[in-house]
Amino acid sequence: MSKNHQAIPKKGRGIPLHWKIIIGMILGIIFGVVMSQIDGGKSFTINWVKPWGSIFINLLKLIAIPLILASLLKGISDLKDISKFKKIGGRSILIYIGTTIVAITIGLLAVNIIEPGGGVGQETIDTMIENYSNNPDIAKKFAAADSQSKSGPLSFIENMIPSNIFGAMSENGNMLQVIFFVIFFGISLLLIPDEKAKPIKDFFDALNEVVLKMVDLIMLSAPVAVFALMAAVVVSSEDPEILWALIQYTGTVALGLLLMIVFYLFLVGFFVKKNPIWFLKELSPAQLLAFTTSSSAATLPVTMERVEEHIGVEKEVSSFVLPVGATINMDGTSLYQGVAAVFIAQALGVDLDFMDQITIVLTALMASIGSAAVPGAGMVMLIIVLQAIGKFEPEQIGIGLALIFAVDRPLDMLRTTVNVTGDATVSMIVAKSLGKLGKPKVKNWDDHPEHL
Ligand code: ASP
């Protein structure tokens, strides 16, 4: 830190970022509720307020690929030898699978004990079917599930290898392809003489700093953006009566997700030996964004910034574990799939035995790996889970989706928060196990006021 920069007072540091975001969210909810009551309020919010939220999400997505490129390349080139990379990769994938199995088990236990499906009357089922039977969004989810389940057993690996890197980078959905390319490139970089590798390393090092600064700048608008996003969610939400009819189901998913957060905090306390409350506080801006955007992919740049700069995970670990986690580790989504599948079976009177529940565990685990980190992806994979059980007629699956569709958005917000928290927790565990959990090194957007 230069003297110069300490001497100049920094503006706007008074209220911590997470509080500013929470205030933005609360005001957005209030604004949305008021606008829902006013004539024309809904269209005003959609036309004039929501775009500010969408711009913010676009900005985050805009820097996701450059950030993965720069950060992962720097991470790998800092490793010095490849064997360490194997350790990071192997450990994180194993822990990811472990936490996902815990999540699905919590979901299945909660739904079997609480039995929310038992409380759904025929009348509710009929209303939901009427409301959603011709819903084009449900039809879209079926089409997406159809194309996913048609792919062959090795297609997951096949799809990971791009034939054109610019093609892969031009699609935010192809994150794993970009990660594959960068790992391949980074390992090759380690294998050439240091003096030849240096310019490339320096370039990506600088790029990484720049992109992280872009995250800081984008985050300045986070409180306003979450205001816009929450207002849009509230004005587009369902009639409270429908939400109330599904309260037991929503409550079961929410309880399961809460238990999952408690499990993460336990891991942070016992395995990482860090204060869980401190962890929550440092990660909270990323969690709040996951909640408002319902997309772990859009949240990724902020998750990376928080985990590296505010929690102290070294780049060698975070630059691999977090982007991979955003794509393949979705504990909240798989927990939700367990609850939703059993809930639908309970409501429609389909009997599920122990083996069916094991099928749910396995398919929800695969689904968590295959789900895109975007809003509503969990519901697409739920269709595949329901089909794998083999006890539902195709129209029963449609009825099942119709039944839970109304509450998908709020549950998506909650499960995305858990997805992001899970990725951050695993990155801490892997970092701790490899001695790569250091001191936080917070950087702010105006650390160099001499340029302002
Ligand atoms: N929206 C979730 C995510 O991005 C995926 C899902 O559960 O629908 O993490």
Side-chain angles (χ1 to χ4, degrees):
M1 256 192 238
S2 69
K3 257 192 188 162
N4 179 14
H5 124 232
Q6 278 176 342
I8 298 180
K10 305 226 171 82
K11 291 163 258 159
R13 296 267 169 86
I15 310 175
L17 181 61
H18 58 273
W19 281 116
K20 288 187 198 163
I21 298 179
I22 291 173
I23 293 168
M25 283 168 76
I26 295 172
L27 292 178
I29 294 172
I30 297 173
F31 182 82
V33 171
V34 173
M35 281 297 161
S36 310
Q37 314 298 323
I38 296 176
D39 241 7
K42 181 174 172 180
S43 59
F44 174 83
T45 311
I46 299 291
N47 291 332
W48 293 95
V49 180
K50 189 180 173 196
W52 300 106
S54 312
I55 291 172
F56 176 75
I57 293 183
N58 283 351
L59 283 172
L60 287 173
K61 287 188 181 161
L62 176 70
I63 55 166
I65 296 287
L67 181 59
I68 295 175
L69 263 184
S71 163
L72 188 52
L73 202 82
K74 173 154 171 50
I76 297 176
S77 57
D78 282 350
L79 277 178
K80 306 224 168 43
D81 72 88
I82 303 168
S83 63
K84 259 205 210 121
F85 185 68
K86 275 199 240 150
K87 266 193 198 151
I88 296 176
R91 265 176 221 194
S92 43
I93 304 227
L94 273 183
I95 305 175
Y96 275 151
I97 294 176
T99 54
T100 306
I101 292 178
V102 170
I104 307 170
T105 312
I106 291 180
L108 288 179
L109 284 176
V111 71
N112 281 298
I113 294 170
I114 301 173
E115 285 200 40
V120 183
Q122 191 55 41
E123 209 182 301
T124 314
I125 297 184
D126 292 342
T127 328
M128 301 291 175
I129 296 171
E130 214 174 286
N131 282 350
Y132 293 102
S133 54
N134 292 320
N135 188 320
D137 288 336
I138 293 190
K140 266 191 226 147
K141 302 223 181 272
F142 267 100
D146 216 34
S147 73
Q148 291 240 20
S149 52
K150 277 212 185 87
S151 40
L154 284 184
S155 62
F156 176 68
I157 300 178
E158 198 181 336
N159 290 339
M160 217 151 68
I161 322 293
S163 60
N164 181 326
I165 186 55
F166 295 104
M169 286 196 296
S170 68
E171 272 272 349
N172 271 324
N174 283 337
M175 214 111 91
L176 282 182
Q177 296 193 341
V178 177
I179 293 171
F180 170 82
F181 174 78
V182 183
I183 292 173
F184 193 12
F185 188 92
I187 290 176
S188 308
L189 190 69
L190 284 178
L191 299 176
I192 66 170
D194 279 350
E195 70 280 5
K196 292 257 163 59
K198 193 169 180 307
I200 295 189
K201 281 189 190 170
D202 288 347
F203 171 76
F204 281 102
D205 200 2
L207 181 64
N208 180 56
E209 288 273 324
V210 174
V211 181
L212 281 173
K213 196 55 76 185
M214 289 169 95
V215 178
D216 289 341
L217 291 172
I218 295 171
M219 284 305 279
L220 291 177
S221 63
V224 177
V226 295
F227 170 89
L229 289 167
M230 287 312 289
V233 166
V234 172
V235 296
S236 329
S237 69
E238 301 292 337
D239 167 358
E241 234 171 79
I242 298 184
L243 302 184
W244 186 244
L246 291 169
I247 193 74
Q248 276 194 332
Y249 160 68
T250 318
T252 309
V253 178
L255 174 74
L257 293 174
L258 187 69
L259 290 176
M260 200 57 206
I261 298 270
V262 173
F263 174 64
Y264 294 139
L265 296 183
F266 165 80
L267 292 179
V268 169
F270 276 82
F271 286 99
V272 188
K273 307 251 180 308
K274 289 274 182 197
N275 182 344
I277 303 299
W278 164 83
F279 165 69
L280 272 188
K281 214 170 113 212
E282 297 306 323
L283 187 66
S284 56
Q287 292 172 311
L288 292 167
L289 285 193
F291 181 78
T292 30
T293 62
S294 285
S295 167
S296 345
T299 313
L300 180 64
V302 183
T303 317
M304 289 178 81
E305 193 253 2
R306 297 308 294 187
V307 167
E308 278 168 28
E309 293 184 4
H310 295 255
I311 292 179
V313 173
E314 286 183 20
K315 192 173 288 300
E316 286 105 305
V317 174
S318 62
S319 66
F320 172 79
V321 180
L322 292 173
V324 169
T327 0
I328 70 163
N329 180 53
M330 297 199 182
D331 297 344
T333 302
S334 34
L335 186 150
Y336 150 84
Q337 279 160 352
V339 177
V342 177
F343 167 75
I344 291 172
Q346 289 169 349
L348 302 182
V350 175
D351 217 21
L352 297 184
D353 55 27
F354 184 70
M355 278 325 282
D356 295 326
Q357 312 244 358
I358 296 288
T359 309
I360 297 177
V361 174
L362 294 178
T363 42
L365 178 65
M366 296 311 290
S368 143
I369 297 174
S371 293
V374 295
M379 222 179 175
V380 173
M381 298 311 279
L382 176 64
I383 300 175
I384 297 176
V385 173
L386 291 173
Q387 285 167 342
I389 298 171
K391 284 193 175 167
F392 295 93
E393 300 296 329
E395 65 275 5
Q396 278 182 313
I397 297 184
I399 297 174
L401 286 202
L403 201 56
I404 57 171
F405 197 76
V407 287
D408 192 57
R409 177 69 197 208
L411 291 183
D412 196 359
M413 296 163 87
L414 292 176
R415 61 188 192 241
T416 309
T417 311
V418 171
N419 290 345
V420 166
T421 312
D423 297 342
T425 308
V426 173
S427 75
M428 269 178 104
I429 297 175
V430 174
K432 173 81 181 177
S433 76
L434 295 169
K436 299 256 169 229
L437 188 63
K439 287 233 168 344
K441 33 197 174 314
V442 181
K443 291 182 188 155
N444 291 298
W445 73 274
D446 53 354
D447 278 345
H448 296 277
E450 63 274 20
H451 301 311
L452 292 177

